[in-house]
Amino acid sequence: MYRWEITRAALAQRVFAIVRSKTYDEASATADTLLSAGITTLEISLTTPFALEAVTTLTRELGEDAVIGAGTVLDAMSARMAVDAGARFLVSPSLDPEVIRTAHRYGVPVFPGVSTPAEIVRALELGADALKLFPASAYDPSWLTEVRAALPQAPLLPTGGVTVDSAPEWIAAGAVAVGMGAALSEGDRDTVAKRAAELLARLAEATPGGAAGDEESVLYGG
């Protein structure tokens, strides 16, 4: 698949789940719960012990049924290791040109972290496939609306502090998708399944407004 095809698949549900755990077993259990709940895109944070092994296992077992990526990728070495492990996309809390260059060399999309208009523009210049607005808790959806009025070409992914209630508001403000961690995965399987079903339904119904264009045209050139 081309980078744009992977990006589209990864963000198709307008949400990607972040798995960040204290142990490999805990991460595997969380991933299984999320996948069973119907979430199809998972970011395995490299802060999790044996995260790359988890990426490899999930990618091998799930094939095209899910899109598994690596998160908290901070440098070129980590990027190459994640790509070799089978990560389909990379996410970073920061903007490092070498992470983008390394992943793109092997056809893997990157969603680097940005927090200012200057960083957004710089990330676009570097060819980032989508932009992780981090931490989203420092902003509100109206900020994103204002930024996208000036930068409608910026595909933003609010992450960090996003909840089931606020996620549709971010989409309505012009976000192409949101990243969610414990706010999505916390609880037993039934709780997560119910929460995920509610979230996916609300995200599917959310209508972007305010900024020029919609999220599909920004991401895929439509």
Side-chain angles (χ1 to χ4, degrees), residues 134-150:
F134 180 79
S137 58
Y139 305 90
D140 60 47
S142 64
W143 181 91
L144 189 146
T145 299
E146 294 297 329
V147 168
R148 290 202 69 245

Side-chain angles (χ1 to χ4, degrees), residues 117-144:
E119 289 182 342
I120 290 171
V121 172
R122 180 59 176 151
L124 292 173
E125 292 172 345
L126 292 169
D129 302 275
L131 314 176
K132 173 180 174 177
L133 174 62
F134 180 79
S137 58
Y139 305 90
D140 60 47
S142 64
W143 181 91
L144 189 146

